[in-house]
Amino acid sequence: MLGAIEAGGTKIICAIADENNVTEIIDEEIIETGDPTRNVEAIIQFFTAHPVQAIGVGSFGPIDVDRHSETYGYITNTPKSGWKNFDFLGALKKLAVPIYWTTDVNAAAFGEMAYGAARQTKNSVYLTVGTGVGGGVILNNEILPGKKHLEIGHISIARRSGDSFEGVCPYHDDCLEGLVSGPAIYKRTGIKGTEIGPEDAVWDTVAYYLAESCVNYALSFAPEVIVLGGGVMHQKQLFPFIRNYYLQVMNEYMSVADLESFIVHSELNNRAGIIGGLALAKKVLGGE
Amino acid sequence: MLGAIEAGGTKIICAIADENNVTEIIDEEIIETGDPTRNVEAIIQFFTAHPVQAIGVGSFGPIDVDRHSETYGYITNTPKSGWKNFDFLGALKKLAVPIYWTTDVNAAAFGEMAYGAARQTKNSVYLTVGTGVGGGVILNNEILPGKKHLEIGHISIARRSGDSFEGVCPYHDDCLEGLVSGPAIYKRTGIKGTEIGPEDAVWDTVAYYLAESCVNYALSFAPEVIVLGGGVMHQKQLFPFIRNYYLQVMNEYMSVADLESFIVHSELNNRAGIIGGLALAKKVLGGE
């Protein structure tokens, strides 16, 4: 049996699945994110009742993913009460099983590669556009390594002519997240994204910036597919606009055989993180 | 003995070095880039006179680096007369030695990692800022893989408030290359970069955009060091400005222990590509 933990800012999901049927979750529990010590107790209780051979953890961040660091496995600089400098991985070691430790978005990227929209590829980018914007990069079927996890949702991109929206990113104002996240859309329109009609001009703006970002990801990672997920991407009308603006911004500099299968919607949707966690548990169990 | 070929738009350098002393070039020849068939003849003549066990090739591009592609080893879409769809690697196979095939900037990035400014690190970004802007990414001491080579010099970045320069990139107008390359600096000022005084305001603008790019590279690749080289970077006064703007744009989102050793000048300078080629020859010889 395999286990996964998807630790988010509001809820923590624990789940189990058989290693021969990773996408079929057999049992799961949702824990409200609160005091980390009590949260970990609940997690350990779940996996004591449902023993597993390995666990994949996708955690909210920022987290320390450098195996050679003294604070490897810690949540680092979060504003979330009690979690700052919390040794999350260390606390989970009580379970005495191998654990794959990464970010929530890296787990989701891995899930889409293993069982979702990027499953035919070795190299992919996954971006989730919701309350925040974040993503993971897969290269040769591995999460892009490095001493720190990536933050591709915060890249700087060119402003569209005529758009003077100030942005909502608390760090960078008008980085990608600052321009297209759910809160950005709300601040642009005064209406929640789910209540904005599909013809509203704001979607055209959002599509433009996402296209610019896809161009930057294509130039930076040469992926075979870019998978877009998260709440904002439920607006399916965005996709043809993103693809059109992608062509316009890229201007034939790097060609793509089939744009429809290059910029695609998430297939695992809000299960990407937890299924990715299970896939990572399988990977760690296989000694890969 | 190891060999290297650095194929640029105006000249092709062939060089040899001992595998135990890769940075010491024993003999080299400079060939003017012209007709590809005659250029290859000259290259083969050089390596016939100076036999080597392996060759690292860093070529101008775009090139096909996908080993599974039918046109692997080709120069693809260049405007350079005769070189479009030229099977460069195939022509070099006459030499009957193992060849590592990559772009000029990837070879330079590898050289800086192996023997230059990034030699203490596993993960680095190399950017050259000259007539064009291009770069390579090293992850775990390997050139960032993928089916296509990267084009990180053409990323879209946010325009600085008040800068309405239209850019010079023939594809993207005001991408990074369009804003800070040598031709961009010339078009901005009407003066060649080498003749512009170090106090000129144009350097402040160039430093700002390079800082924004360094932020994007940091967020996208989590490197341990970013190495800047190329003609424009001979303006050493740029570095303190780039580092200051980097702090301003990043705004503490991702911390860096020591900025002075994070954004650094190339150490191999205009030898980065050829030494990188020799280092890649050593790598291919070692069966790595």
Side-chain angles (χ1 to χ4, degrees):
Chain A
M1 196 65 69
L2 302 171
I5 301 168
E6 186 183 8
T10 57
K11 63 184 179 183
I12 296 168
I13 304 172
C14 299
I16 57 166
D18 187 275
E19 67 170 292
N20 296 314
N21 201 359
V22 170
T23 57
E24 190 114 331
I25 289 165
I26 294 172
D27 209 339
E28 72 177 330
E29 187 168 323
I30 295 171
I31 300 160
E32 198 185 323
T33 308
D35 174 67
T37 311
R38 259 187 272 168
N39 281 165
V40 168
E41 274 168 24
I43 292 168
I44 287 175
Q45 209 165 16
F46 175 84
F47 286 110
T48 307
H50 304 84
V52 293
Q53 292 168 278
I55 298 175
V57 181
S59 174
F60 70 88
I63 67 176
D64 189 339
V65 294
D66 177 6
R67 285 171 182 277
H68 302 292
S69 157
E70 282 183 17
T71 54
Y72 173 65
Y74 282 51
I75 310 261
T76 56
N77 194 30
T78 181
K80 215 170 298 294
S81 173
W83 287 88
K84 187 170 173 164
N85 298 325
F86 178 66
D87 182 7
F88 196 10
L89 181 60
L92 295 172
K93 281 189 178 154
K94 256 196 182 169
L95 291 164
V97 294
I99 296 176
Y100 193 106
W101 166 252
T102 193
T103 61
D104 44 6
V105 284
N106 275 347
F110 196 82
E112 291 288 349
M113 181 277 287
Y115 302 106
R119 70 184 169 283
Q120 309 291 351
T121 70
K122 283 170 177 277
N123 309 302
S124 57
V125 172
Y126 169 83
L127 192 76
T128 176
V129 187
T131 310
V133 179
V137 179
I138 303 292
L139 279 170
N140 280 334
N141 300 120
E142 300 274 354
I143 292 169
L144 188 73
K147 292 195 164 211
K148 293 176 181 174
H149 55 82
L150 311 182
E151 290 287 355
I152 64 171
H154 286 265
I155 58 168
S156 155
I157 51 171
R159 293 301 293 266
R160 190 181 198 182
S161 172
D163 179 30
S164 59
F165 177 63
E166 65 273 31
V168 300
C169 175
Y171 290 92
H172 316 115
D173 295 332
D174 63 350
C175 68
L176 174 60
E177 175 172 306
L179 290 172
V180 306
S181 65
I185 293 167
Y186 181 76
K187 197 169 180 190
R188 281 176 182 278
T189 60
I191 311 171
K192 276 174 67 179
T194 48
E195 288 157 21
I196 302 171
E199 307 290 332
D200 195 285
V202 75
W203 301 123
D204 190 62
T205 304
V206 167
Y208 181 83
Y209 289 124
L210 288 172
E212 270 198 332
S213 306
C214 288
V215 167
N216 278 8
Y217 301 147
L219 296 169
S220 299
F221 306 111
E224 294 157 75
V225 62
I226 297 174
V227 181
L228 303 176
V232 170
M233 301 317 299
H234 290 145
Q235 307 285 335
K236 295 286 176 70
Q237 76 279 6
L238 285 168
F239 281 85
F241 288 96
I242 295 170
R243 294 187 189 111
N244 279 339
Y245 286 129
Y246 179 91
L247 286 179
Q248 186 184 310
V249 175
M250 185 62 99
N251 195 21
E252 300 186 1
Y253 188 67
M254 237 188 196
S255 64
V256 163
D258 175 19
L259 200 57
E260 297 259 324
S261 57
F262 181 65
I263 298 176
V264 302
H265 193 275
S266 161
E267 281 185 17
L268 303 179
N269 293 300
N270 61 358
R271 311 304 281 164
I274 198 76
I275 289 173
L278 291 161
L280 288 166
K282 184 170 179 170
K283 178 184 167 66
V284 82
L285 189 63
E288 282 174 61
Chain B
M1 198 64 69
L2 302 171
I5 301 168
E6 186 183 9
T10 56
K11 63 184 178 182
I12 297 170
I13 304 171
C14 299
I16 56 166
D18 187 276
E19 69 170 293
N20 297 314
N21 200 359
V22 170
T23 56
E24 190 113 333
I25 289 165
I26 294 173
D27 208 338
E28 72 177 331
E29 186 167 325
I30 296 172
I31 300 158
E32 198 184 325
T33 309
D35 174 67
T37 311
R38 259 187 273 168
N39 281 164
V40 168
E41 274 169 24
I43 292 168
I44 287 175
Q45 206 165 17
F46 175 82
F47 286 111
T48 306
H50 305 83
V52 293
Q53 292 169 276
I55 298 175
V57 181
S59 174
F60 70 89
I63 67 174
D64 188 340
V65 294
D66 178 5
R67 285 172 182 277
H68 302 292
S69 158
E70 282 182 19
T71 53
Y72 174 66
Y74 283 52
I75 308 263
T76 56
N77 195 27
T78 181
K80 214 169 297 293
S81 174
W83 287 87
K84 187 171 174 162
N85 298 324
F86 179 66
D87 182 7
F88 196 10
L89 181 59
L92 295 172
K93 280 187 178 154
K94 255 196 183 171
L95 290 164
V97 294
I99 296 177
Y100 193 107
W101 166 252
T102 193
T103 61
D104 44 5
V105 284
N106 275 347
F110 196 83
E112 291 287 349
M113 181 275 289
Y115 302 106
R119 70 183 170 280
Q120 309 291 349
T121 70
K122 281 169 179 279
N123 308 302
S124 57
V125 173
Y126 169 82
L127 192 77
T128 176
V129 187
T131 309
V133 180
V137 179
I138 303 291
L139 280 168
N140 281 334
N141 299 120
E142 298 275 354
I143 291 168
L144 189 73
K147 290 193 165 212
K148 293 176 183 175
H149 56 81
L150 311 182
E151 289 288 355
I152 63 172
H154 285 265
I155 59 168
S156 154
I157 50 171
R159 292 303 291 265
R160 190 181 199 183
S161 171
D163 179 31
S164 60
F165 177 63
E166 65 274 30
V168 300
C169 175
Y171 291 91
H172 315 114
D173 296 332
D174 63 351
C175 68
L176 174 60
E177 175 170 305
L179 291 172
V180 306
S181 66
I185 292 166
Y186 180 76
K187 196 167 179 190
R188 281 175 181 279
T189 59
I191 310 171
K192 277 175 66 180
T194 47
E195 287 157 21
I196 301 171
E199 308 289 332
D200 195 285
V202 75
W203 300 122
D204 190 61
T205 303
V206 167
Y208 181 83
Y209 289 124
L210 288 172
E212 270 198 332
S213 306
C214 287
V215 167
N216 278 7
Y217 302 146
L219 296 169
S220 299
F221 306 111
E224 296 156 74
V225 63
I226 297 173
V227 180
L228 303 176
V232 170
M233 301 317 298
H234 289 145
Q235 306 285 334
K236 294 287 176 68
Q237 76 278 8
L238 284 168
F239 280 86
F241 289 96
I242 295 170
R243 295 189 189 111
N244 278 339
Y245 286 129
Y246 179 91
L247 286 179
Q248 185 183 311
V249 175
M250 185 61 100
N251 195 21
E252 300 187 0
Y253 188 69
M254 237 186 195
S255 64
V256 162
D258 175 20
L259 199 57
E260 297 260 325
S261 57
F262 182 66
I263 298 175
V264 302
H265 194 275
S266 160
E267 282 185 15
L268 302 180
N269 293 299
N270 61 358
R271 310 304 279 165
I274 198 76
I275 289 174
L278 291 161
L280 287 166
K282 184 170 180 171
K283 178 183 167 67
V284 84
L285 189 63
E288 286 176 58

